[in-house]
Each structure stands twice: as structure tokens, then as C-alpha cells.
Amino acid sequence: MHSHLIPGVDDGVKTNEESFAIIDQLLELGYQKIITTPHIMSDYYGNTAESLSIAYAQFLPVLRARGYTLPFQCAAEYYLDEKIYETVMAKEKLLTFGDRHFLFETNAVSEPLQLKEFIFSLTSQGFRPILAHPERYQYMTLEKAEDLRHRGVLLQVNLLSLLGYYGPPMQKLAEKLIERGWVDVLGSDCHNLDHILLLKKVQRSKFYRKALDLPLLNYSL
Ligand SMILES: [Fe+2]
């Protein structure tokens, strides 16, 4: 789960062919199901729950026509900005997956002021929030990660973090989260074919194997 494989809607794949090439590689790596999550970030992509549902409904038949039979679902990676905060507060429709699981990310630098209120609103509406790549945020600490889990947030670590792809501090934090058993979901965050090579490489890493021993949500999605 967590990838950007719907062509042309965000900074992920640009063409159907690119998406197919990535899916071929994922199948080869043993992936059995894909939950792709294009960005919803109002300042950048203009995607909404409705527009992504349409893009998905257009892409899925193309994928099937090419002979791909694997389960392929579409949710979203929501960026916590003013717009999505208001969308959640107004209890508008959200793109979720699994059992009302809701994937979101924040800015990289500072903890958003509305973060706790946002989480409270989501959980009290019966959603299960998942914070995308907690290890990538400069403001994240183990204490904050623990507090978020107590508030009902699941933590989704990016596989590429385990190779130091985003930098050594991010790798360290991802490893600590795995050691504590605080990783609830693993995500590829795959945007392009370059990421595939790394997803192949990560399967040989010690912390990847450790993470697979955790009761990950991935096993039941
Ligand atoms: Fe992503």
C-alpha cells in the first residue's frame, strides 16, 4: 500500500506503460495486491476524492484489458492543509481503504497546529487514520510517535527509509520505530521505476525482515 500509480494525476507515473512496467516488477517481487494512493494536496495537484475516483474508474479497465488480474484499489494520500482540515471537520466524503483507513501526510518541517484536533475528528467519525512515513518528518520523535499511536493513529513506514533513501536520520527513526514495534503498516511510496530497484534491494535488509514479524495491517488488507 501507498504508491502513486494512476497515470498523470500527481508526481507519480506519467503514462499507462510506466504504471504497467512498475506493476510487472511488483508482481515479480511477490506483491499480491496494490492499494495506490495518489496525492490530494490542494496547492499542487487539484485532485479530489471525486476526481481520483473518476481517474481510477478510467484506468482500471485499461489495466484489466492488458491482462492484469491482481486486486488494484485506489485511495489517496491526503496532505494535511487548511483545505483537508476543513473537509474533515465538515465530515465530507473521504477516499479510504480497508476498514475506513485514511492515509495522510503532513509538511516535513513542523508539527501542524491542528494535528491533534484533526486526528480527534477523524477517529470520532470512525475513521482509522494512518500517518504516512512518520520517519520523514523533522519534527517527529519517538515520544511524539508514541503519543500519536495512543490517539489512535497507525504509523506507516516507507520501505525506502530502511535503505537511507531519505537520509540517515530518517533511516535511524524508521529502525527505532520497528524495534519498538510501533510500525503498523509498511508502504512502498513507489512513484517510479527507480524506486523499484530499491524495493528489490530492501528485501535483503535486516530491518525489513524484522518489520515483517510485526502484526502489520498489510497482512489483512
Ligand atoms: Fe506518497
Side-chain angles (χ1 to χ4, degrees):
M1 65 85 46
H2 191 165
S3 63
H4 301 270
L5 302 181
I6 305 270
V9 298
D10 63 7
D11 59 344
V13 302
K14 297 285 169 274
T15 64
N16 291 344
E17 294 308 318
E18 199 184 344
S19 192
F20 299 150
I22 288 175
I23 294 168
D24 286 339
Q25 296 293 316
L26 290 173
L27 287 167
E28 208 166 288
L29 287 175
Y31 286 72
Q32 295 172 347
K33 176 174 181 174
I34 293 174
I35 299 170
T36 199
T37 52
H39 288 288
I40 291 187
M41 193 188 269
S42 55
D43 283 350
Y44 289 91
Y45 306 112
N47 292 328
T48 61
E50 293 70 29
S51 74
L52 288 181
S53 300
I54 293 168
Y56 170 65
Q58 287 169 344
F59 181 65
L60 190 62
V62 181
L63 186 72
R64 295 291 178 241
R66 275 296 192 103
Y68 292 97
T69 56
L70 88 163
F72 185 91
Q73 298 175 357
C74 180
E77 178 182 16
Y78 283 90
Y79 180 84
L80 174 49
D81 56 16
E82 209 47 51
K83 177 82 174 58
I84 180 56
Y85 179 76
E86 283 162 16
T87 301
V88 166
M89 291 299 154
K91 303 185 178 175
E92 288 172 25
K93 184 183 171 340
L94 300 172
L95 265 188
T96 62
F97 61 97
D99 187 9
R100 305 195 79 197
H101 290 95
F102 171 88
L103 182 69
F104 76 101
E105 64 176 335
T106 75
N107 79 81
V109 183
S110 56
E111 182 178 331
L113 292 173
Q114 345 85 312
L115 180 62
K116 285 164 188 162
E117 217 177 324
F118 181 70
I119 291 163
F120 181 74
S121 179
L122 284 164
T123 52
S124 46
Q125 290 177 57
F127 292 106
R128 296 166 201 266
I130 300 179
L131 179 61
H133 39 68
E135 74 279 8
R136 291 184 60 187
Y137 307 118
Q138 288 172 31
Y139 65 84
M140 190 56 65
T141 60
L142 285 174
E143 292 69 29
K144 283 186 178 168
E146 187 175 30
D147 177 65
L148 288 171
R149 290 185 92 242
H150 287 151
R151 292 172 190 271
V153 177
L154 302 177
L155 303 181
Q156 179 257 299
V157 158
N158 274 7
L159 291 172
L160 301 191
S161 296
L162 305 179
L163 296 174
Y165 180 72
Y166 309 100
M170 289 73 180
Q171 180 176 7
K172 267 272 144 303
L173 184 52
E175 290 174 357
K176 283 183 188 157
L177 290 170
I178 290 170
E179 270 169 355
R180 301 251 174 150
W182 293 350
V183 176
D184 305 287
V185 199
L186 289 176
S188 71
D189 207 353
C190 184
H191 282 68
N192 53 53
L193 274 166
D194 292 345
H195 287 167
I196 288 288
L197 294 173
L198 298 169
L199 289 173
K200 208 172 274 184
K201 200 172 163 199
V202 81
Q203 293 192 336
R204 296 195 296 269
S205 97
K206 184 176 90 184
F207 279 93
Y208 173 75
R209 288 195 296 271
K210 268 192 179 186
L212 291 189
D213 287 337
L214 298 174
L216 299 171
L217 179 68
N218 300 72
Y219 296 126
S220 58
L221 283 172

